[in-house]
Short mmCIF file of all heavy atoms in Angstrom, two decimals:
data_model
loop_
_atom_site.label_atom_id
_atom_site.label_comp_id
_atom_site.label_asym_id
_atom_site.label_seq_id
_atom_site.Cartn_x
_atom_site.Cartn_y
_atom_site.Cartn_z
N VAL A 1147 17.17 12.72 -1.99
CA VAL A 1147 16.94 13.63 -0.87
C VAL A 1147 16.81 12.95 0.35
O VAL A 1147 17.43 13.40 1.42
CB VAL A 1147 15.70 14.51 -1.24
CG1 VAL A 1147 15.32 15.38 0.00
CG2 VAL A 1147 15.90 15.47 -2.43
N LYS A 1148 15.99 11.98 0.37
CA LYS A 1148 15.73 11.10 1.63
C LYS A 1148 17.12 10.52 2.09
O LYS A 1148 17.36 10.50 3.30
CB LYS A 1148 14.79 9.97 1.23
CG LYS A 1148 14.36 9.15 2.52
CD LYS A 1148 13.42 7.96 2.11
CE LYS A 1148 13.06 7.23 3.31
NZ LYS A 1148 12.20 6.04 3.05
N TYR A 1149 17.79 9.98 1.19
CA TYR A 1149 19.11 9.38 1.66
C TYR A 1149 20.03 10.39 2.31
O TYR A 1149 20.62 10.14 3.26
CB TYR A 1149 19.82 8.80 0.37
CG TYR A 1149 21.28 8.40 0.65
CD1 TYR A 1149 21.55 7.20 1.33
CD2 TYR A 1149 22.42 9.20 0.18
CE1 TYR A 1149 22.92 6.81 1.54
CE2 TYR A 1149 23.66 8.89 0.54
CZ TYR A 1149 23.95 7.61 1.16
OH TYR A 1149 25.22 7.24 1.48
N ALA A 1150 20.08 11.58 1.62
CA ALA A 1150 21.02 12.62 2.18
C ALA A 1150 20.62 12.95 3.74
O ALA A 1150 21.58 13.06 4.57
CB ALA A 1150 20.95 13.93 1.27
N PHE A 1151 19.40 13.20 3.94
CA PHE A 1151 19.03 13.50 5.36
C PHE A 1151 19.06 12.39 6.33
O PHE A 1151 19.46 12.54 7.42
CB PHE A 1151 17.64 14.17 5.23
CG PHE A 1151 17.61 15.51 4.86
CD1 PHE A 1151 17.30 15.85 3.44
CD2 PHE A 1151 17.92 16.51 5.63
CE1 PHE A 1151 17.32 17.21 3.03
CE2 PHE A 1151 17.91 17.94 5.22
CZ PHE A 1151 17.63 18.18 3.91
N VAL A 1152 18.64 11.14 5.79
CA VAL A 1152 18.67 9.95 6.74
C VAL A 1152 20.05 9.57 7.01
O VAL A 1152 20.42 9.28 8.17
CB VAL A 1152 17.91 8.78 6.04
CG1 VAL A 1152 18.19 7.52 6.77
CG2 VAL A 1152 16.41 9.11 5.94
N LYS A 1153 20.98 9.60 5.95
CA LYS A 1153 22.38 9.31 6.26
C LYS A 1153 23.10 10.27 7.14
O LYS A 1153 23.80 9.91 8.07
CB LYS A 1153 23.13 9.31 4.90
CG LYS A 1153 24.55 8.70 5.00
CD LYS A 1153 24.59 7.27 5.51
CE LYS A 1153 25.93 6.69 5.50
NZ LYS A 1153 25.94 5.26 5.86
N PHE A 1154 22.75 11.52 7.04
CA PHE A 1154 23.26 12.57 7.90
C PHE A 1154 22.81 12.28 9.35
O PHE A 1154 23.63 12.32 10.24
CB PHE A 1154 22.73 13.90 7.44
CG PHE A 1154 22.99 15.09 8.39
CD1 PHE A 1154 24.21 15.64 8.53
CD2 PHE A 1154 22.00 15.53 9.33
CE1 PHE A 1154 24.56 16.68 9.43
CE2 PHE A 1154 22.27 16.53 10.24
CZ PHE A 1154 23.60 17.08 10.24
N ALA A 1155 21.56 11.91 9.57
CA ALA A 1155 21.04 11.64 10.95
C ALA A 1155 21.65 10.46 11.46
O ALA A 1155 22.10 10.31 12.66
CB ALA A 1155 19.64 11.44 10.84
N ASN A 1156 21.94 9.40 10.62
CA ASN A 1156 22.57 8.21 11.07
C ASN A 1156 23.99 8.39 11.52
O ASN A 1156 24.46 7.90 12.57
CB ASN A 1156 22.63 7.14 9.95
CG ASN A 1156 21.19 6.55 9.74
OD1 ASN A 1156 20.33 6.61 10.47
ND2 ASN A 1156 21.04 5.95 8.52
N VAL A 1157 24.82 9.21 10.76
CA VAL A 1157 26.09 9.49 11.16
C VAL A 1157 26.20 10.29 12.37
O VAL A 1157 27.03 10.13 13.33
CB VAL A 1157 26.85 10.26 9.95
CG1 VAL A 1157 28.28 10.64 10.36
CG2 VAL A 1157 27.01 9.36 8.69
N MET A 1158 25.23 11.38 12.55
CA MET A 1158 25.18 12.10 13.71
C MET A 1158 24.98 11.12 14.96
O MET A 1158 25.55 11.37 16.03
CB MET A 1158 24.09 13.15 13.64
CG MET A 1158 24.40 14.28 12.63
SD MET A 1158 25.68 15.45 13.32
CE MET A 1158 24.64 16.39 14.59
N GLU A 1159 24.11 10.28 14.76
CA GLU A 1159 23.76 9.34 15.90
C GLU A 1159 24.89 8.44 16.31
O GLU A 1159 25.29 8.23 17.53
CB GLU A 1159 22.49 8.47 15.53
CG GLU A 1159 22.03 7.53 16.58
CD GLU A 1159 20.81 6.60 16.22
OE1 GLU A 1159 20.67 6.43 14.96
OE2 GLU A 1159 20.15 6.18 17.17
N THR A 1160 25.59 7.95 15.28
CA THR A 1160 26.75 7.10 15.55
C THR A 1160 27.96 7.92 16.15
O THR A 1160 28.72 7.38 17.00
CB THR A 1160 27.31 6.40 14.28
OG1 THR A 1160 27.60 7.45 13.22
CG2 THR A 1160 26.22 5.44 13.73
N MET A 1161 28.07 9.19 15.79
CA MET A 1161 29.00 10.01 16.38
C MET A 1161 28.76 10.28 17.93
O MET A 1161 29.64 10.18 18.69
CB MET A 1161 29.04 11.48 15.78
CG MET A 1161 29.87 11.45 14.41
SD MET A 1161 31.51 11.19 14.51
CE MET A 1161 32.10 12.50 15.54
N TRP A 1162 27.41 10.39 18.20
CA TRP A 1162 27.08 10.65 19.60
C TRP A 1162 27.27 9.30 20.44
O TRP A 1162 27.90 9.31 21.52
CB TRP A 1162 25.64 10.92 19.69
CG TRP A 1162 25.03 10.88 21.15
CD1 TRP A 1162 24.18 10.12 21.60
CD2 TRP A 1162 25.46 11.77 22.18
NE1 TRP A 1162 23.99 10.31 22.99
CE2 TRP A 1162 24.69 11.45 23.27
CE3 TRP A 1162 26.33 12.93 22.26
CZ2 TRP A 1162 24.90 11.99 24.49
CZ3 TRP A 1162 26.33 13.56 23.49
CH2 TRP A 1162 25.71 13.09 24.61
N LEU A 1163 26.99 8.20 19.78
CA LEU A 1163 27.29 6.97 20.46
C LEU A 1163 28.84 6.69 20.67
O LEU A 1163 29.17 6.23 21.70
CB LEU A 1163 26.70 5.71 19.60
CG LEU A 1163 25.19 5.46 19.66
CD1 LEU A 1163 24.85 4.43 18.54
CD2 LEU A 1163 24.79 5.01 20.91
N THR A 1164 29.53 7.08 19.71
CA THR A 1164 30.92 6.86 19.81
C THR A 1164 31.57 7.77 20.87
O THR A 1164 32.26 7.28 21.77
CB THR A 1164 31.74 7.34 18.49
OG1 THR A 1164 31.29 6.49 17.40
CG2 THR A 1164 33.26 7.20 18.58
N ILE A 1165 31.24 9.06 20.99
CA ILE A 1165 31.69 9.98 22.00
C ILE A 1165 31.28 9.49 23.35
O ILE A 1165 31.99 9.39 24.36
CB ILE A 1165 31.21 11.39 21.74
CG1 ILE A 1165 31.88 11.94 20.47
CG2 ILE A 1165 31.66 12.32 22.86
CD1 ILE A 1165 33.36 11.97 20.36
N SER A 1166 29.92 9.16 23.59
CA SER A 1166 29.41 8.83 24.85
C SER A 1166 30.03 7.57 25.33
O SER A 1166 30.34 7.42 26.56
CB SER A 1166 27.91 8.71 24.83
OG SER A 1166 27.53 7.67 23.76
N ASN A 1167 30.27 6.57 24.47
CA ASN A 1167 30.89 5.33 24.89
C ASN A 1167 32.43 5.51 25.15
O ASN A 1167 32.97 4.74 25.90
CB ASN A 1167 30.70 4.23 23.93
CG ASN A 1167 29.26 3.66 23.97
OD1 ASN A 1167 28.89 3.02 24.96
ND2 ASN A 1167 28.43 3.95 22.92
N LEU A 1168 33.13 6.41 24.45
CA LEU A 1168 34.56 6.71 24.74
C LEU A 1168 34.65 7.34 26.21
O LEU A 1168 35.45 6.95 26.94
CB LEU A 1168 34.94 7.77 23.81
CG LEU A 1168 35.53 7.17 22.47
CD1 LEU A 1168 35.83 8.26 21.47
CD2 LEU A 1168 36.73 6.28 22.56
N VAL A 1169 33.66 8.19 26.66
CA VAL A 1169 33.72 8.86 27.91
C VAL A 1169 33.40 7.74 28.97
O VAL A 1169 34.05 7.82 30.03
CB VAL A 1169 32.60 9.88 27.90
CG1 VAL A 1169 32.41 10.43 29.34
CG2 VAL A 1169 32.91 11.05 27.06
N THR A 1170 32.53 6.81 28.80
CA THR A 1170 32.20 5.83 29.74
C THR A 1170 33.19 4.64 29.64
O THR A 1170 33.15 3.78 30.56
CB THR A 1170 30.78 5.30 29.50
OG1 THR A 1170 30.75 4.67 28.19
CG2 THR A 1170 29.67 6.30 29.62
N GLY A 1171 34.15 4.68 28.70
CA GLY A 1171 35.09 3.58 28.64
C GLY A 1171 34.69 2.36 27.93
O GLY A 1171 35.45 1.32 27.85
N LYS A 1172 33.35 2.35 27.49
CA LYS A 1172 33.02 1.18 26.85
C LYS A 1172 33.57 0.97 25.34
O LYS A 1172 33.37 -0.04 24.74
CB LYS A 1172 31.41 1.13 26.66
CG LYS A 1172 30.75 1.01 28.04
CD LYS A 1172 29.26 1.05 28.00
CE LYS A 1172 28.61 0.88 29.27
NZ LYS A 1172 27.06 0.79 29.10
N LEU A 1173 34.12 2.08 24.89
CA LEU A 1173 34.83 2.04 23.55
C LEU A 1173 36.21 2.49 23.67
O LEU A 1173 36.42 3.49 24.34
CB LEU A 1173 33.96 2.98 22.53
CG LEU A 1173 34.33 2.84 21.05
CD1 LEU A 1173 34.00 1.46 20.48
CD2 LEU A 1173 33.58 3.93 20.35
N SER A 1174 37.11 1.75 23.16
CA SER A 1174 38.53 2.07 23.38
C SER A 1174 38.95 3.22 22.39
O SER A 1174 38.51 3.18 21.27
CB SER A 1174 39.36 0.74 23.06
OG SER A 1174 40.74 1.07 23.01
N ALA A 1175 39.97 3.89 22.93
CA ALA A 1175 40.45 5.02 22.05
C ALA A 1175 41.35 4.53 20.89
O ALA A 1175 41.61 5.14 20.00
CB ALA A 1175 41.41 5.94 22.90
N LYS A 1176 41.58 3.15 20.94
CA LYS A 1176 42.26 2.53 19.76
C LYS A 1176 41.43 2.48 18.60
O LYS A 1176 41.95 2.24 17.51
CB LYS A 1176 42.65 1.10 20.21
CG LYS A 1176 43.69 1.04 21.34
CD LYS A 1176 44.10 -0.47 21.59
CE LYS A 1176 45.19 -0.47 22.76
NZ LYS A 1176 45.51 -1.94 22.98
N ASN A 1177 40.11 2.77 18.66
CA ASN A 1177 39.28 2.79 17.63
C ASN A 1177 39.31 4.17 16.85
O ASN A 1177 38.64 4.29 15.78
CB ASN A 1177 37.77 2.47 17.94
CG ASN A 1177 37.58 1.05 18.52
OD1 ASN A 1177 37.72 0.14 17.64
ND2 ASN A 1177 37.46 0.90 19.80
N LEU A 1178 39.95 5.16 17.50
CA LEU A 1178 40.03 6.45 16.85
C LEU A 1178 41.24 6.64 15.86
O LEU A 1178 42.15 5.83 15.94
CB LEU A 1178 40.20 7.58 17.95
CG LEU A 1178 39.02 7.68 19.05
CD1 LEU A 1178 39.41 8.66 20.02
CD2 LEU A 1178 37.76 7.92 18.33
N SER A 1179 41.09 7.47 14.98
CA SER A 1179 42.14 7.83 13.94
C SER A 1179 42.42 9.24 14.03
O SER A 1179 41.46 10.04 14.04
CB SER A 1179 41.86 7.31 12.65
OG SER A 1179 41.91 5.89 12.56
#
Side-chain angles (χ1 to χ4, degrees):
V1147 172
K1148 182 180 178 181
Y1149 170 79
F1151 284 96
V1152 171
K1153 188 65 177 180
F1154 171 78
N1156 287 340
V1157 175
M1158 288 287 285
E1159 184 178 23
T1160 56
M1161 282 294 298
W1162 170 251
L1163 283 171
T1164 301
I1165 296 298
S1166 59
N1167 282 295
L1168 279 170
V1169 171
T1170 58
K1172 292 182 178 180
L1173 193 64
S1174 173
K1176 291 180 179 179
N1177 293 289
L1178 300 179
S1179 288

